Amino acid sequence: MSGIIELRLDDLGERGIQEHVLRPRYGGTEGFGDDSALLAALSTPSELVATTDSCPTPVVVNFLGEPDLYHAGWLLATINLSDLAATGAEPLGLVAAYTLPKATTVREFERLLDGVDDCCVEHGTKIAGGDTRDGETVQLTATAIGRCAPGRRLRRSGACAGDRLLLVGSPGYLWAAALLAAGHATLPEAAREEVRRRACRPMAQLRAGQVMAATGLGQAAMDVSDGLFATVRALCETNGLGAAITGDYELDQPVAEVARQSGLHPFDLAETWGDWGLVIVTRAEDVDLAMKALQTEGIVAQEIGVLTADPRIVMGAGGRPWNGIAQERFSNSSWHGGDLADLITAVLGTPRS
Amino acid sequence: MSGIIELRLDDLGERGIQEHVLRPRYGGTEGFGDDSALLAALSTPSELVATTDSCPTPVVVNFLGEPDLYHAGWLLATINLSDLAATGAEPLGLVAAYTLPKATTVREFERLLDGVDDCCVEHGTKIAGGDTRDGETVQLTATAIGRCAPGRRLRRSGACAGDRLLLVGSPGYLWAAALLAAGHATLPEAAREEVRRRACRPMAQLRAGQVMAATGLGQAAMDVSDGLFATVRALCETNGLGAAITGDYELDQPVAEVARQSGLHPFDLAETWGDWGLVIVTRAEDVDLAMKALQTEGIVAQEIGVLTADPRIVMGAGGRPWNGIAQERFSNSSWHGGDLADLITAVLGTPRS
């Protein structure tokens, strides 16, 4: 392998890539080399779900010394698994389609595959198959397939006025890492490293979705892929409701400290995107049970507000309109990399530090 | 719709696209708008299979007056369904990930979706969900998911020396259309139109795969995505065998006529790629039964050769080595469009007409 690692993919060709890169890694997977991959043998009644997403340029490449496809690989798996998490599904596997320039080195390709595979392992799933082809620009697309118990699938719909909104996961790590990298805050090395690690290795909230689906405590769910406001707004629109958000959020300690030093309110970081949290809707009377069920699994969650018959989305005791973070594709807020300072301003406004 | 059709996708934005393009088309699909799409409710034991492929630039855009994403959409669905066909699976649905420049018009996007949807309908399946994002270049990726009855899944492995190779489908239409467009042959208008139609609307051999899997008459299978030689070679390598190919093939009449006028042997067109045929391996004693089973379904197939213990791949009575068409990615034969005449030469050599 030591010699091959320095070669370009077009030195190997498709057949060489198959034999020298993919077979050593995936050759033990049943169905390896076949036209279609084997996902699973299912014997119990199931609702099958699938989701597909292409990977944007990870924000973290802005903080890191050199571009490294490991981060894109990890993110590719997470973003797809996060969509499965929102349904409460158990993942059966992923298939991945990679378009890479011919000049990509074997080392770079291996880093991409390491990122995808490590992320799948951390989430208890696997790459079942895929496709690699050459093209002018890097384009990474994956599809995650999962199963739900019949009648237990969580959807965006199913919420009623009075239902509570729980935010599952620990938000703010990605943008705290960005603020640290841009010099808006400083932390002791260990804390800084932990923030950076969490930013680079976001996890999908699969177990939280599964618990809320299995117990019936979740009424609806959606992941936070474009910002918390975009998520709450979509849940409101789907259900013909509004929401009253507290605007309070207790961030993890190092993230809270970055917010403080950067002159930001904790909620400014809580409502960002990139940490792949899940918003779960529960009946008001089920909140305590739901929080307990999540805690039992070691999953952190906070109540952030209530759905209302009034269709407005408001925040705080005064009920002022909330127009929060909502990244949107085919618009100016569609993320495609760029300068870190500009990006921080676009997402968080101008930090005061 | 008449006003919207002329707009660009970035005039609408992601939310406008969802409401004005996707909801009218897919809003009736259960799970529309959810983070994950519902593929199917399964109640019988199943082996689930999945395949993912990105769409190359369709060769047919070289013959057509203007670029039209309909053809790419059709091809995107066919190439993925063809991989399912090789396993004998019943398709449960597809998910699609589209990356499109912001300047793409709604009309162009609708044509893409029309192509995908029409192709899915023709194959008895559907788009269950997907993702659309903006990017610098068009990149179309789909994933097809299917089910096989347990133990009936066809694979590339499973073949023995003495087994016969059946080529299912009618090869040569794509490259006959190319030869007609380049002036190497002429046909009466109706025949020319039929060749062009078949070239633009290739079908995956789903039913053939299903019949061969269900009856147990198929021992192994693989689709013809990169040329017949590439397919036979892969089947040989997987099974540790060689093959003796007859080199004879009876093309459909208009394709045969194009071959004749272009100074090509019928097999020169039979071994091309782009028609999404299927090579099915059957035991020698099952050939007649298999051919009859396919005929009963109205599926055309011809026996093209035999697998051998001798690992060489040879052709004709003299047993000369066969080095046929084998498009390979990350090599010079990786297809990315270009001049039609050059492409014909690359695939077919220099026609004598």
Side-chain angles (χ1 to χ4, degrees), chain A residues 171-183:
Chain A
Y173 277 94
L174 176 62
W175 292 97
L179 289 164
L180 286 165

Side-chain angles (χ1 to χ4, degrees), chain B:
Chain B
M1 216 38 219
S2 60
I4 282 178
I5 203 94
E6 306 298 342
L7 294 180
R8 291 162 41 136
L9 294 184
D10 62 354
D11 292 325
L12 288 180
E14 181 180 359
R15 284 155 55 82
I17 294 166
Q18 178 83 351
E19 288 313 305
H20 298 296
V21 181
L22 299 175
R23 187 179 295 279
R25 184 181 287 264
Y26 298 118
T29 305
E30 199 197 323
F32 175 80
D34 288 341
D35 288 13
S36 296
L38 178 68
L39 277 172
L42 283 187
S43 54
T44 52
S46 303
E47 283 183 4
L48 284 182
V49 294
T51 181
T52 189
D53 250 324
S54 298
C55 191
T57 307
V59 172
V60 295
V61 302
N62 273 296
F63 336 145
L64 303 172
E66 51 171 335
D68 178 352
L69 286 172
Y70 186 95
H71 303 290
W74 184 286
L75 188 59
L76 178 66
T78 292
I79 62 181
N80 280 286
L81 291 168
S82 184
D83 280 332
L84 282 194
T87 66
E90 165 202 349
L92 299 173
L94 288 85
V95 290
Y98 306 124
T99 299
L100 297 167
K102 287 183 177 181
T104 305
T105 64
V106 172
R107 184 190 301 279
E108 290 169 321
F109 187 41
E110 293 275 7
R111 285 292 291 169
L112 169 65
L113 300 177
D114 283 345
V116 172
D117 288 340
D118 287 354
C119 185
C120 285
V121 167
E122 283 293 313
H123 288 86
T125 188
K126 63 176 193 301
I127 288 289
D131 179 65
T132 305
R133 64 179 63 218
D134 51 297
E136 282 178 32
T137 54
V138 174
Q139 176 88 17
L140 312 173
T141 304
T143 300
I145 298 104
R147 72 167 292 278
C148 299
R152 290 295 187 185
R153 181 168 50 100
L154 293 174
R155 305 191 50 187
R156 291 189 186 178
S157 56
C160 301
D163 286 351
R164 303 307 166 94
L165 297 166
L166 307 183
L167 175 55
V168 171
S170 298
Y173 277 94
L174 176 62
W175 292 96
L179 290 164
L180 286 166
H184 292 289
T186 54
L187 287 179
E189 188 50 34
R192 186 187 176 97
E193 190 45 49
E194 173 65 4
V195 170
R196 186 172 142 143
R197 190 190 66 75
R198 295 279 293 257
C200 289
R201 306 279 181 276
M203 293 286 291
Q205 296 292 337
L206 283 169
R207 189 69 197 134
Q210 289 162 7
V211 169
M212 291 296 98
T215 57
L217 294 167
Q219 303 300 325
M222 183 178 165
D223 78 340
V224 181
S225 45
D226 297 318
L228 188 57
F229 174 73
T231 301
V232 170
R233 181 179 58 184
L235 284 168
C236 287
E237 287 175 352
T238 301
N239 293 283
L241 299 169
I245 302 296
T246 62
D248 296 326
Y249 193 88
E250 194 175 338
L251 295 166
D252 285 1
Q253 197 279 326
V255 180
E257 178 59 20
V258 170
R260 193 190 63 74
Q261 291 182 28
S262 305
L264 295 167
H265 188 276
F267 198 81
D268 295 336
L269 276 180
E271 68 157 315
T272 55
W273 47 268
D275 300 277
W276 306 96
L278 210 54
V279 173
I280 289 178
V281 178
T282 68
R283 302 281 180 246
E285 60 271 27
D286 290 339
V287 168
D288 291 346
L289 271 176
M291 294 294 283
K292 203 160 289 175
L294 293 170
Q295 264 168 10
T296 304
E297 298 279 342
I299 299 161
V300 299
Q302 289 180 44
E303 188 178 334
I304 58 166
V306 58
L307 292 170
T308 58
D310 179 341
R312 291 175 301 169
I313 300 177
V314 298
M315 178 183 282
R320 66 182 185 281
W322 179 33
N323 270 303
I325 292 173
Q327 182 184 218
E328 187 181 356
R329 296 170 191 167
F330 294 98
S331 81
N332 292 333
S333 68
S334 186
W335 155 246
H336 289 288
D339 178 70
L340 184 58
D342 292 346
L343 190 59
I344 288 172
T345 302
V347 173
L348 292 167
T350 308
R352 268 165 273 158
S353 69

